[in-house]
C-alpha cells in the first residue's frame, strides 16, 4: 500500500459519503463491485451491487431529509494483499429520528470495508459491514 493507493482510497470514501448524503444511490452503488456484499447495521445481508442499491434506495422521506447531518471519516487503511485493502471508517448521525414520532438519537458506528483494485486501476468496494456502536437500545421495550 503506497501513498497513491491511500490517497485514491480516501477519495473513494469521500465520494462514497458525499453520494450517500445526497442519496444518489445509483452513483453510490457504482463504487462497489457487481458481486459486492453489504451487511447493514441491522444484520441484513445484501449479496450483490443490485441488492445493495435497491435496499438503500428504500428509505422513508423523513429519514432522507436528515442525511445532511451524517458524517464519515476514515480511521484506518491497511493493505492485506496485493490490490486488496482493509478499511475502517467511523460514522456519526446526530439527531437521527428513525420515525417522525421518535425522539432524536445521536447515532454512530463503524464500517469495515474490503476494497479491491480493478484491472483499470480503480479501487472498488467488494464487501462492507456496518455496525452501530450504540444500537443496543433498538431492542429495548419502549
Amino acid at each position: 500500500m503506497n501513498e497513491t493507493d491511500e490517497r485514491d482510497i480516501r477519495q473513494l470514501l469521500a465520494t462514497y459519503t458525499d453520494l450517500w448524503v445526497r442519496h444518489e444511490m445509483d452513483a453510490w452503488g457504482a463504487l462497489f463491485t457487481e458481486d459486492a456484499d453489504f451487511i447493514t447495521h441491522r444484520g441484513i445481508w445484501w449479496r450483490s451491487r443490485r441488492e445493495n442499491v435497491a435496499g438503500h434506495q428504500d428509505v422513508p422521506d423523513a429519514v432522507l431529509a436528515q442525511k445532511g447531518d451524517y458524517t464519515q471519516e476514515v480511521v484506518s487503511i491497511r493493505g492485506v494483499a496485493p490490490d486488496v485493502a482493509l478499511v475502517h471508517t467511523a460514522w456519526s448521525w446526530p439527531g437521527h429520528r428513525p420515525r417522525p414520532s421518535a425522539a432524536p438519537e445521536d447515532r454512530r458506528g463503524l464500517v469495515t470495508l474490503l476494497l479491491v483494485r480493478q484491472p483499470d486501476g480503480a479501487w472498488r468496494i467488494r464487501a462492507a459491514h456496518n455496525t452501530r456502536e450504540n444500537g443496543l437500545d433498538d431492542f429495548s421495550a419502549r
Side-chain angles (χ1 to χ4, degrees):
M1 181 78 30
N2 61 41
E3 289 179 21
T4 301
D5 292 332
E6 185 169 331
R7 183 197 68 229
D8 291 349
I9 289 169
R10 286 182 183 281
Q11 181 57 53
L12 173 81
L13 294 186
T15 300
Y16 171 109
T17 304
D18 179 60
L19 293 169
W20 169 260
V21 168
R22 292 189 288 133
H23 201 68
E24 293 183 18
M25 294 293 95
D26 288 330
W28 179 81
L31 302 175
F32 292 80
T33 62
E34 288 288 340
D35 60 345
D37 292 292
F38 191 105
I39 299 176
T40 72
H41 76 276
R42 300 187 87 181
I44 299 168
W45 185 1
W46 292 314
R47 292 175 172 91
S48 69
R49 177 194 293 172
R50 184 185 52 75
E51 286 182 9
N52 181 22
V53 169
H56 281 101
Q57 283 175 328
D58 187 24
V59 178
D61 288 341
V63 173
L64 293 179
Q66 303 172 60
K67 278 186 142 186
D69 295 329
Y70 178 93
T71 61
Q72 182 172 224
E73 72 175 86
V74 174
V75 176
S76 69
I77 300 172
R78 298 188 195 262
V80 294
D83 301 327
V84 179
L86 179 65
V87 180
H88 292 94
T89 67
W91 59 266
S92 176
W93 199 337
H96 176 72
R97 291 179 186 262
R99 321 172 281 297
S101 62
E105 304 172 8
D106 290 338
R107 290 187 174 190
R108 64 187 179 280
L110 301 168
V111 180
T112 301
L113 301 136
L114 185 70
L115 277 67
V116 294
R117 188 188 330 262
Q118 301 299 287
D120 67 0
W123 288 94
R124 290 291 172 258
I125 301 164
R126 172 56 184 85
H129 190 151
N130 184 8
T131 302
R132 276 197 48 208
E133 289 180 2
N134 56 344
L136 294 177
D137 58 342
D138 282 354
F139 302 104
S140 64
R142 292 181 194 224

